[in-house]
Amino acid sequence: MEYRKLHGTDLTVSALGFGVWTVGTTWWGVKDEQVGERLLRRAFDLGVTYFDNGDTYASGKAEELQRRALGDVRDQIIIGTKFGYDIYNNPDRPGQQERPHDWTPAYLRKALEGSLKRLGTDYLDYYQLHNPRLDAIQNDDLWAELDKLKAEGLIRAYGTALGPALNERQIEEGVASITERHAPTQIIYNLLEQLLGQPILKVAEAEQVGVVARVPHASGLLEGYMTLETEFEPGDHRNWRVTTNEKKKAWMEDGLKKAEQIDAEFVTGKGRSIGQLALQFALHSPMMSSVLPNIYDEKGLEEYAATFKAAPLEQGEYDAIQKLYADNFGLKTNLIGEVVR
């Protein structure tokens, strides 16, 4: 395992992190909590120390799951969780729909108390604003309260996690987090989806502030198993074949064509899997502190943990991938099926 500094904080995290949403919710087909507990524990055994959670995941149950799996090694791990959605006055919504935010200092305190209790700890390592808009990032009262919580020893560091879905407005949000608050930020970033990564990582390197990437495998496109015929468990949000959203279908079809090119040019005979290549690509920037692949089975977890023993991604290979990306891999449509102009 490789470990990196989360620049802008005093934290050191495993370069491979574990996003607990894949086992703490049913969004990715994992419904058995015991499976989730085993995967979390196996990740720890493989050297993963950074576990990223959120109070809104299954209305706090994901945090409780993490406590059951890792409570006895709390002093050996970095706990990241998130706040901002009012989970106490608004029931969970179907289809990952957002709940209303509450960015008041009073709610921040309430949210922190709840997460501490569910996670079974008296402090958090890394506390993140969950999918904030610019107004929250520029809310001085909120950030002053975060500073108070840090001074009280209740949190060690804070940052932002941008979302929910990939959106151009998050460039401004990420830049503001880094430049105005000197706070690390979490973004969607992979070699097929670089809308946020390219501009935000440039600013992060200039400011020496860390970034965390989620969805480094483009929701499965870069895991090496997905085809147009792949079907998922009921409730898994990747059930694109039954969607009426034509843009989502085009995104999948184009993405698989691009993944085929990546596999042929940078994986076959190179001493790495496409899943490992995707992680190597996401970790290329020195400001990328950790990547959070979607982990839902032991096979995938062990493959990702072995990334740091695989043949490394050379600079020339990275540059070649970026050239393909700039040319949209020679396709006429982009990732959401719109004509490239």
Side-chain angles (χ1 to χ4, degrees):
M1 185 58 62
E2 180 179 309
Y3 300 91
R4 296 186 174 193
K5 181 178 176 58
L6 180 58
H7 291 278
T9 77
D10 63 356
L11 303 177
T12 297
V13 296
S14 53
L16 174 67
F18 196 128
V20 186
W21 54 78
T22 54
V23 297
T25 71
T26 60
W27 302 341
W28 297 87
V30 179
K31 299 179 181 179
D32 187 335
E33 292 185 354
Q34 291 185 342
V35 171
E37 291 177 29
R38 287 197 299 270
L39 285 172
L40 288 167
R41 193 66 187 205
R42 179 60 177 148
F44 173 76
D45 292 341
L46 290 169
V48 174
T49 60
Y50 178 45
F51 295 87
D52 189 71
N53 215 318
D55 63 3
T56 192
Y57 301 147
S59 299
K61 291 181 180 178
E63 293 178 325
E64 294 173 349
L65 176 73
Q66 181 174 323
R67 181 194 69 231
R68 293 195 300 273
L70 300 168
D72 63 324
V73 293
R74 195 276 168 262
D75 61 340
Q76 300 177 58
I77 63 175
I78 299 296
I79 296 179
T81 196
K82 311 181 191 73
F83 74 96
Y85 290 117
D86 183 356
I87 66 172
Y88 299 101
N89 297 303
N90 300 279
D92 199 2
R93 298 182 175 185
Q96 301 184 47
Q97 295 181 56
E98 290 187 271
R99 308 185 201 195
H101 280 117
D102 188 338
W103 299 116
T104 62
Y107 184 77
L108 165 58
R109 292 260 174 184
K110 180 177 181 178
L112 176 60
E113 290 172 2
S115 286
L116 291 173
K117 181 178 180 180
R118 290 186 292 269
L119 286 162
T121 181
D122 56 6
Y123 71 96
L124 294 178
D125 299 290
Y126 186 45
Y127 207 29
Q128 302 156 85
L129 283 68
H130 200 172
N131 299 339
R133 283 22 173 203
L134 193 61
D135 61 332
I137 296 171
Q138 297 179 334
N139 183 335
D140 290 338
D141 290 341
L142 173 64
W143 291 84
E145 194 69 13
L146 285 167
D147 282 328
K148 291 179 183 178
L149 294 172
K150 186 176 179 181
E152 294 170 21
L154 295 174
I155 60 175
R156 294 177 61 193
Y158 48 69
T160 59
L162 305 183
L166 193 64
N167 191 299
E168 190 172 11
R169 67 149 211 285
Q170 293 160 22
I171 297 173
E172 184 178 18
E173 294 160 0
V175 169
S177 177
I178 292 168
T179 60
E180 297 180 27
R181 301 300 178 184
H182 204 69
T185 191
Q186 180 187 132
I187 61 173
I188 294 173
Y189 177 62
N190 57 70
L191 63 83
L192 298 183
E193 297 170 310
Q194 300 188 47
L195 174 69
L196 305 181
Q198 290 190 353
I200 289 176
L201 282 169
K202 184 181 296 185
V203 174
E205 290 181 14
E207 299 289 331
Q208 290 294 290
V209 173
V211 177
V212 173
R214 69 178 185 275
V215 202
H217 295 108
S219 298
L221 292 175
L222 299 173
E223 291 181 25
Y225 69 88
M226 192 179 291
T227 70
L228 292 176
E229 286 70 47
T230 300
E231 296 184 4
F232 300 99
E233 293 289 331
D236 190 311
H237 82 100
R238 293 169 296 170
N239 276 316
W240 70 277
R241 292 183 68 198
V242 298
T243 185
T244 58
N245 189 326
E246 293 302 320
K247 287 185 178 181
K248 187 174 181 181
K249 288 184 177 181
W251 171 86
M252 176 70 75
E253 292 165 357
D254 285 2
L256 288 174
K257 292 177 183 177
K258 296 172 183 180
E260 288 177 3
Q261 291 187 50
I262 293 294
D263 187 76
E265 297 185 38
F266 304 101
V267 175
T268 302
K270 299 292 187 178
R272 62 172 82 98
S273 69
I274 191 169
Q276 291 168 339
L277 171 68
L279 297 182
Q280 292 171 339
F281 178 90
L283 286 165
H284 182 266
S285 168
M287 290 300 106
M288 187 61 74
S289 302
S290 186
V291 293
L292 304 168
N294 292 318
I295 297 169
Y296 29 78
D297 58 43
E298 192 165 345
K299 179 181 178 182
L301 171 59
E302 292 182 349
E303 175 189 339
Y304 304 153
T307 295
F308 309 98
K309 296 180 180 179
L313 177 66
E314 302 294 341
Q315 182 64 45
E317 293 177 307
Y318 176 85
D319 294 341
I321 290 172
Q322 291 296 56
K323 185 176 180 180
L324 281 174
Y325 177 82
D327 190 42
N328 196 46
F329 294 78
L331 301 181
K332 295 181 179 180
T333 55
N334 66 17
L335 288 178
I336 58 174
E338 297 176 346
V339 176
V340 175
R341 295 177 176 82

